[in-house]
Amino acid sequence: MGINTKKCSIAAAIAFAISGNAWADASSKNETIEKIQVTGSKIKRTDLEGVAPLSVIDAAEIEANGFSSIADVLESSLANTGASFNGDEASGYTTGASSVNLRGMGANRTLVLINGRRQAAFPTAAGGADNFVDVSDIPTSAVERVEILTGGASAIYGSDAIGGVVNVILKDNYEGSKVSLKYENPTNGGRDVAKFSYTQGFETDKSNTVVIFEYQQGEELLTSQRKDYFAKGLDRIYNTEGYIPNDAWLDDDGNLLPWAQQWDWGGAAPSTWGVYIRDYDEVFGDKYPVTQEQCNNVLGDLAVWYEESSYTCRYDKYPGRGLESAYDRANLIINSEYELNNDWSLYGMINASYKDSDKYKDKKGNTSYFYLDNTTGDYSYDKPTSGDYHRFQLRRRYDELFDLPHSRIYTSTNEKYSFVFGANGTIGDYDLDVSWSTGFNRYNRDSQSQLSRDGLLSIITFDPNDADSSKWYPAERMTDAQAAAAYGVSTKRSTSRIHQLTSTLSGDLFELPSGGVAFAASAEWARESYNDILDETTQSGGFLGMGGTGGQGERDRYAGALEILAPIASDMPGIYNLELSVAGRYDYYNDDTDVGGAFSPQVGVMYHPVEDVLVRASWGKSFRAPDMHRVYAGTTIGFGTTEYLLPDGTLQEDSYRSISSGSLTLEEEKGEYSSIGLVANLTDELDFTLDWWSIEMTGGVRTIATDDIYNGPTDFSPAYNYTGQYNECTALPGPGFILGVDDEGFENLDCMKKAPYNAAFEKSEGVDASISYRLDADELGSFRFKFGASYLRSKKVQDKPELEVEDYVDIYYYPTWKSNSSITWSKDEFSTTIAYYYTGTSTGLDTFYEAVDGEMEKVSEQQMDKLSPYARLNWSASYRFDWDGKVKVGVKNLTDEMPPYYSVFNGDFDSHPFHRTSRGYSTIGRTVYIGYDQSF
């Protein structure tokens, strides 16, 4: 059958290329090798190596290392050095979604492709700002390989490829059927994962179809299930001379309180959001009226009583916090190809996924101020204009709003549907591929147990003797009716779409003495849109302590690209082969921004001094159109705080209403990259690569900071001051603020409006190296050794032009070293692999507390902290039976390595989760798994 010839030969060519013998073997046997297309070029070649570094992780490696998801695969990549996030972790705006961040340039600046095609962005922006492609909805059972191109590639792919490209290649050819089962069980408890997959191949004389279904279920992991890890932090307090714990641990003489000596959560104190009432004017009695009995009645076994502080009733907030979300996920992929004739084939793919997640959070807590109008007897959040009022502060955990004993849950569902239809064939001497693809994502989130501003106001009273049964005194538990009045659910309903029409014409233009000049010319049209909708209550600030960002927009993109690969010289003294690669692409954006068109050039040289040695160099420019949510985000109302010094030297904390929105005046981010590398097949069994790379970006989009707009009444920017011109910040034409007067008569912030702008500069630079060795030991079996390392030399960042350039490697905990290595031994039907994943030390600049002065106050200063290395050892083994069954067992994180702690002197040491997040660290710990495959 003709339709699979190219794709079968692609797989064979990849195997040859990895072994380093493809060209030599073919030459010696006078065989024709089918050209392949790999990520980073649309010109088909005879091997994987191109002008830029490319790493490949195939299905066998994914299985041997026990990866549960593509997010795990990408997290292990040496190039994934920045702050990415795993959506199964219980944090962030985007529950259930995961990202990849190549070269630390940002998850939104890493282009993610499936079979070379763009995907619809996740409907909700990460952090309420950055758009990205979710990689958690790609089933591992459907993946043939993952190709990771490090470095800019806008000349080939257009926007988003500043940091690099991830191209996930799905299986499109399978004979027979296979059922797979896998179960994972962490030895420390929690986070069990079960997976089932079914693969079926169908063949006729003219067609080939692969159907893959995968279902996966993961349990939640709570902080309470890793108590031993967090409690170990406490041991270091008593073993470190000179450490001064959190103030909440100390009595008036600076000694540890009795309860603090039994505390379970490292250096973290219980939350002051327990039950706290402050009656400033003592109008109803004591200034701090809450008793220990009331504290225990409201908070139960999570109550912590601390007599020596005004915040006497505190709350143990950690047991109910989630470290990993619970989820159920189902995926369906159908890949099919039909041969029309010897020259043309039709192909299509359907990809559908559904995932629901439960994100566990501790109970709702909030600090609010209330004013009692003595004229009307009404309570409000704002000072009455009459001036005759009393003021109250309430700090409270709202235990009454929850169904579970120690948690509240944010529930979410992620749906993805994509469809591809295309045709490929030959026209004369050229190959033509034309395809249409469309994608749709839906994300729904319900954030349970929110606190309604209006509902709370309707029931609250600070008079413990109020006879109205509908009124609630905060030192007592709410009745069911009162809880119902205060209860709310914040909802988000988001969708995103992408439609693309792509055509690529490729082949040889003409012959030079050294060979044919190859080209690939492509044209594209795409339309992207999103609709991110918050409920009106959340968007208007109607829930206490709950914000969010909604928005909607659409953009069209038109693009044309040309890539040429020309052999300059060959078979000459000192030159086995010399090739020049030139590419250029023009993208035009039809939207409401100032981007317009952007041209991206690329130049590369590949020089073989001898047959088995390649010296390569590349340079190019890249760009990124602004995140659609940065452009089209709607107006969102939240609440913020800032600090500034008063004229008398007093540090003033200022609370204000925060208004944010998108900006239509944004321009594209501009990048430039370069690399120089060496690839050597030292022997038939030994391969080596070494690459230096540099990526630079200017005009990075940032949201203007509070202190850039306003830094106190004596230091604000007049250009942003709209006091007296507008009554409400939502009406401001751009970033700015409006001043008011606080209770003490000081001029302060009433509200502020923020917006994104092009300001930042970033530059990452480093070196990558890899070694691969294969040994056939005859009767002892075969061995394969792999080692890869990446050194991040610098990560320079300038958030805005007037600031100094900072090296984030020194101050923001970017690990300088990251390495992966593995040894695989195979004999007959048995195979076993040991893999080692290493993240090196990292340093950061933080506030350290080292001493106390005569009044028992902490003395603090900025110092460097160093996080210890984080290393994990994985082991796996498999055995294939003669009835086409295969059993797999393994242990991930064999030594039960947990994330490194901050220094006990570091101010972040007592902040949950007590370690640096978003750097590939995981608190799951050692995990044992077993699996079975049965082929038919």
Side-chain angles (χ1 to χ4, degrees), residues 122 132 177 202 222 325 575 686 768 798 839 853 928 934:
F122 193 75
F132 68 100
S177 58
F202 302 94
L222 303 180
S325 299
I575 302 178
L686 181 61
D768 296 342
Q798 184 184 34
T839 299
D853 60 18
V928 179
Q934 181 62 57

Side-chain angles (χ1 to χ4, degrees), residues 52-55 77-80 102-103 148-152 162-165 673 675 693 695 768:
L54 178 72
S55 60
S77 167
L78 297 178
N80 190 24
L102 296 182
R103 301 306 192 196
I148 303 172
L149 178 74
T150 51
I162 288 179
V165 181
Y673 65 92
S675 67
W693 53 267
I695 303 173
D768 296 342

Side-chain angles (χ1 to χ4, degrees), residues 174 252 255 428 598 899:
Y174 192 82
D252 291 338
N255 300 315

Side-chain angles (χ1 to χ4, degrees), residues 347-367:
Y347 60 88
M349 183 186 74
I350 296 173
N351 183 2
S353 67
Y354 179 89
K355 182 177 184 179
D356 65 60
S357 303
D358 291 335
K359 173 181 175 179
Y360 285 72
K361 296 179 66 68
D362 50 286
K363 301 175 184 180
K364 182 72 176 182
N366 182 256
T367 297

Side-chain angles (χ1 to χ4, degrees), residues 394-457:
L394 174 62
R395 304 169 75 96
R396 185 63 149 77
R397 287 282 168 171
Y398 293 88
D399 179 83
E400 301 90 335
L401 302 185
F402 308 95
D403 297 328
L404 295 180
H406 301 322
S407 300
R408 57 186 162 127
I409 294 180
Y410 288 3
T411 60
S412 65
T413 59
N414 306 348
E415 300 174 61
K416 175 182 177 180
Y417 308 96
S418 63
F419 170 77
V420 177
F421 177 77
N424 57 38
T426 59
I427 298 179
D429 295 329
Y430 303 111
D431 296 327
L432 177 64
D433 186 289
V434 180
S435 67
W436 168 268
S437 61
T438 187
F440 171 79
N441 287 356
R442 178 186 286 120
Y443 175 62
N444 294 337
R445 188 185 71 193
D446 291 342
S447 301
Q448 312 286 345
S449 303
Q450 298 303 319
L451 191 62
S452 166
R453 288 173 58 87
D454 293 341
L456 182 63
L457 199 62

Side-chain angles (χ1 to χ4, degrees), residues 79 147 262 321 345 585 744 935:
E147 298 177 352
Q262 306 300 318
R321 286 196 172 186
S345 297
R585 178 183 171 109
E744 283 75 32
S935 299

Side-chain angles (χ1 to χ4, degrees), residues 650-728:
T650 304
L651 186 64
Q652 177 78 358
E653 182 178 286
D654 197 353
S655 300
Y656 62 93
R657 285 187 307 120
S658 176
I659 316 297
S660 62
S661 63
S663 173
L664 299 179
T665 62
L666 293 176
E667 299 178 350
E668 72 272 19
E669 300 173 335
K670 299 175 182 179
E672 183 173 330
Y673 65 92
S674 54
S675 67
I676 301 174
L678 172 69
V679 181
N681 303 128
L682 301 178
T683 69
D684 288 348
E685 294 79 23
L686 181 61
D687 303 329
F688 171 76
T689 67
L690 179 67
D691 289 281
W692 167 87
W693 53 267
S694 174
I695 303 173
E696 182 178 307
M697 181 192 69
T698 58
V701 177
R702 295 286 193 272
T703 295
I704 191 167
T706 298
D707 291 345
D708 291 337
I709 302 176
Y710 174 84
N711 197 23
T714 61
D715 192 29
F716 60 75
S717 172
Y720 294 121
N721 187 3
Y722 289 94
T723 305
Q725 303 176 52
Y726 294 88
N727 296 322
E728 176 54 55

Side-chain angles (χ1 to χ4, degrees), residues 234-280:
L234 187 62
D235 297 337
R236 299 189 304 145
I237 293 175
Y238 301 112
N239 296 325
T240 306
E241 184 177 353
Y243 173 62
I244 305 302
N246 189 300
D247 289 337
W249 294 65
L250 306 176
D251 61 21
D252 291 338
D253 296 323
N255 300 315
L256 283 173
L257 294 165
W259 67 261
Q261 298 176 24
Q262 306 300 318
W263 188 238
D264 293 323
W265 308 113
S271 172
T272 58
W273 287 347
V275 181
Y276 169 89
I277 299 172
R278 183 175 181 181
D279 184 342
Y280 285 86

